[in-house]
Amino acid sequence: MAAGKILIEAGLRLAERGVEEPGLNAQWLLADALGVERLRLLAEPDLPVTAAALAKFEKGLVLKEQGLPLAYILGWQDFRGLRINVDERVLVPRPETEELAGLAADFLKGRAGEISALDYGAGSGAIGLWLASEFPGLRLTAAEISAGAIDCAAANAGALGLAGRVEFVNASSLAAVTGSFDVIVSNPPYIPTGVIPGLSPEVLSEPLVALDGGGDGLDVARMLVKLSPERLKKGGALIMELGEAQAKVLLAAMPPETWVEKKTFKDLRGVERFVYGRLNG
Ligand SMILES: C[S@@+](CC[C@H](N)C(=O)[O-])C[C@H]1O[C@@H](n2cnc3c(N)ncnc32)[C@H](O)[C@@H]1O
């Protein structure tokens, strides 16, 4: 059978199940099954699909119909051009988190000498590993509460040739992390506990510990605001991603005598999502 016809049928099938972006999901799954670039499928709708590829595609399609994130089915997610391997132990890195990593990079460009970064709640390691790939002199500490996530991030560090510059710390609080950093960057769990049951099956297939931020969603973020000043170098910054309507709340909890510069940034959709605070120095 030809790829184009298979894609049309699969797209309709996913749409009937209420899968978002059914056509795009079908393209990624078929490209993966065939081992070709996704765009080739669009350029060559007559591309023949072998029985083996069709069987693999069908398996992926069923998992997608069941609500599994595409990245778990493929086993990877692109993050600012880096291939980050992911599975059920870690959150799938989101596009807005690519923006968070960009903000941290912008800050680090202004720092002189050896630079060090802490990725707190590192998950797959996407943010910190991308920073390490951008700044060859950067030393990265990746802190995580989940041992499974640390294993995943460590494997990613190895696959990207960055393992020699990364230290992993199994921690449930910043109090368990030593060292001092130019930047602490974090995409903490920030969904309020009460909101969790209403999330889509797709999001609920991700680790609860990566989602649940406590009563108002800000438990880990507040802890970072409180403890970061002891872990930042002079003039160092804490940069975090939060949910809608949370950034302003957290900004108000950052004392101006400690955070001499503090502000929020909007994401590309216009949501005030990122909180930035810098120490004196
Ligand atoms: C929203 S996910 C972000 C993962 C990854 N940084 C990303 O952006 O894709 C939050 C991560 O924080 C971790 N985490 C949750 N509570 C934590 C805590 N108290 N201390 C350290 N890590 C924590 C979770 O296991 C999860 O990997």
Side-chain angles (χ1 to χ4, degrees):
M1 255 168 103
K5 188 166 175 337
I6 291 172
L7 282 177
I8 290 170
E9 285 172 10
L12 291 172
R13 201 169 128 185
L14 292 179
E16 267 172 29
R17 288 297 191 99
V19 172
E20 282 179 24
E21 302 186 301
L24 199 58
N25 275 286
Q27 288 168 23
W28 277 113
L29 290 171
L30 188 57
D32 181 56
L34 283 167
V36 301
E37 293 288 323
R38 180 179 66 86
L39 293 180
R40 189 166 162 207
L41 299 178
L42 306 185
E44 295 178 50
D46 292 331
L47 194 71
V49 178
T50 62
L54 200 58
K56 186 175 178 193
F57 177 61
E58 176 60 26
K59 271 191 195 154
L61 214 54
V62 170
L63 292 173
K64 195 63 231 165
E65 284 178 316
Q66 290 168 350
L68 210 65
L70 179 67
Y72 286 169
I73 304 172
L74 299 177
W76 60 273
Q77 172 71 39
D78 179 89
F79 190 86
R80 296 192 74 118
L82 283 192
R83 183 174 279 226
I84 298 291
N85 293 321
V86 294
D87 57 36
E88 281 88 342
R89 295 172 297 177
V90 296
L91 188 96
V92 176
R94 304 294 203 269
E96 50 270 30
T97 307
E98 295 182 305
E99 296 177 55
L100 172 71
L103 288 175
D106 289 345
F107 175 78
L108 286 173
K109 277 176 198 151
R111 302 287 286 180
E114 282 199 355
I115 51 175
S116 55
L118 169 63
D119 179 357
Y120 193 87
S124 61
I127 304 168
L129 293 175
W130 178 76
L131 286 173
S133 75
E134 282 292 292
F135 296 89
L138 182 143
R139 292 209 64 84
L140 173 70
T141 300
E144 240 301 326
I145 197 171
S146 154
I150 289 182
D151 288 346
C152 176
N156 276 321
L160 293 166
L162 298 167
R165 285 195 280 131
V166 188
E167 184 192 350
F168 293 94
V169 182
N170 199 183
S172 60
S173 164
L174 192 51
V177 179
T178 55
S180 62
F181 306 96
D182 292 278
V183 73
I184 297 176
V185 61
S186 182
N187 173 22
Y190 55 68
I191 300 177
T193 306
V195 173
I196 302 273
L199 296 173
S200 70
E202 189 158 332
V203 176
L204 286 173
S205 64
E206 297 180 276
L208 186 61
V209 70
L211 304 171
D212 191 346
D216 68 353
L218 292 172
D219 284 2
V220 178
R222 281 209 182 81
M223 178 275 291
L224 290 173
V225 163
K226 188 167 167 223
L227 300 181
S228 286
E230 289 169 29
R231 288 283 153 263
L232 284 171
K233 294 181 191 169
K234 273 187 180 174
L238 170 65
I239 308 177
M240 278 181 292
E241 173 182 329
L242 293 172
E244 280 193 63
Q246 291 178 326
K248 278 237 158 75
V249 177
L250 201 70
L251 200 73
M254 298 170 84
E257 57 276 16
T258 304
W259 303 99
V260 294
E261 187 188 3
K262 57 173 190 167
K263 54 187 164 184
T264 62
F265 289 91
K266 288 184 179 167
D267 67 16
L268 290 173
R269 289 192 300 126
V271 174
E272 214 134 26
R273 183 171 295 287
F274 308 108
V275 174
Y276 162 92
R278 185 177 62 75
L279 298 185
N280 210 350

